[in-house]
Structure formats: C-alpha cells, structure tokens
C-alpha cells in the first residue's frame, strides 16, 4: 500500500490500514480523513485532497497520514493516493468512528459502513482540531461525489500540547 519513504513507519502502531495500538503516540501534523465509494480513482482522491489543502492555505508537506474506515483501506484509489503522497494510510473501525462527534454527519456512510462519518471522524480519530470540515469531490453534472475529505491538525491534540519533544 505504500511506496517511497518509510519515514512514517518507525513506530510499530503505524502501518497501512491499522488502528493505533496501545501506547500509540500521535505525531504532530496534518491528517486528511478520506471517505469514498467503492471503485474511486486515485486521481479523484488526490484531486480533492490537493484542492482542499490549497484552498485552506495548508501545505501538503505538513501531511503525516491519510485516515479512513478500516473497511476502505483496500480501496485502490485511497491506498494509491497515500502512496503517491508518501504517507501511511490508517484505517479505523467503523465502531470507533461512529463514537466521534462531527459537525456534518451523513446517512450515506451510516447505511454503508455503520458510522455517520468517515472523513471527519477519521481525521479526528487520532486527536487534534478539525481545520477543514468535510468537502466533497466535484463529480460533474448528474453524478454524485465519490470522495469526501476533511483535515485535522494533530499538533493541536491534547497529547501534543502537553509538551511532547
């Protein structure tokens, strides 16, 4: 699932498609939560992420991981986007995501995965502050968006504010 630098894989809790293990220490930086329909393309996922970061005045250089529902980590479009961005892909169980309060819950992921949010909840699952609420890809006339994303700043998490070095 990952190609390129393995700089984000030093901690044993960090691996593609894995939820944090006990003792996980969140790394400060930006996390993009991604929700997607099955069969989404890498180009659509990357396009939304790049547009979202640019529009918010955020740098892709500060991105430390993509996060999604555990059941979506095998989606070629999401995994491919993480690989192209050079960051790990972390999957969270839908039951964990369902317990995270978000500003924009939706019936679509609730029906499909059992959680009212994937993008916002996954972005927030490791702690931090939501910088960019859920955005949808531009699917074109007459088509529904296939991708959503949200951005959280993990350097604003309680753990990182307590003086981690």
């Amino acid at each position: 699932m990952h190609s390129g630098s393995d700089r984000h894989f030093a901690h044993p809790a960090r691996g593609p498609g894995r939820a944090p293990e006990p003792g996980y220490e969140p790394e400060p930086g930006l996390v993009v939560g991604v929700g997607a329909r099955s069969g989404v393309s890498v180009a659509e996922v990357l396009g939304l992420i790049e547009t979202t970061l640019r529009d918010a005045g955020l740098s892709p250089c500060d991105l430390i991981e993509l996060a999604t529902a555990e059941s979506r980590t095998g989606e070629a479009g999401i995994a491919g986007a993480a690989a192209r961005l050079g960051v790990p892909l972390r999957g969270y169980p839908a039951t964990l995501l369902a317990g995270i309060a978000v500003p924009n819950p939706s019936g679509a992921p609730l029906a499909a995965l059992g959680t009212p949010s994937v993008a916002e909840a996954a972005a927030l699952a490791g702690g931090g502050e939501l910088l960019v609420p859920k955005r949808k890809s531009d699917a074109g006339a007459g088509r529904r968006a296939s991708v959503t994303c949200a951005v959280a700043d993990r350097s604003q998490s309680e753990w990182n504010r307590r003086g981690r070095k």
Side-chain angles (χ1 to χ4, degrees), residues 48-137:
L48 179 60
I49 292 170
E50 290 167 354
T51 299
T52 299
L53 292 174
R54 183 181 59 246
D55 290 354
L58 301 170
S59 172
C61 295
D62 293 328
L63 185 61
I64 59 168
E65 75 182 27
L66 295 189
T68 192
E70 202 168 53
S71 63
R72 292 293 194 236
T73 58
E75 278 295 322
I78 298 173
R84 292 268 299 276
L85 291 165
V87 296
L89 173 61
R90 180 167 322 283
Y92 292 97
T95 54
L96 184 140
L97 297 177
I100 298 172
V102 297
N104 301 294
S106 170
L110 182 59
L113 303 173
T115 177
S117 172
V118 174
E120 290 174 333
L124 291 168
E129 175 185 340
L130 191 64
L131 296 180
V132 181
K134 178 174 69 177
R135 293 193 48 184
K136 297 178 182 181
S137 61

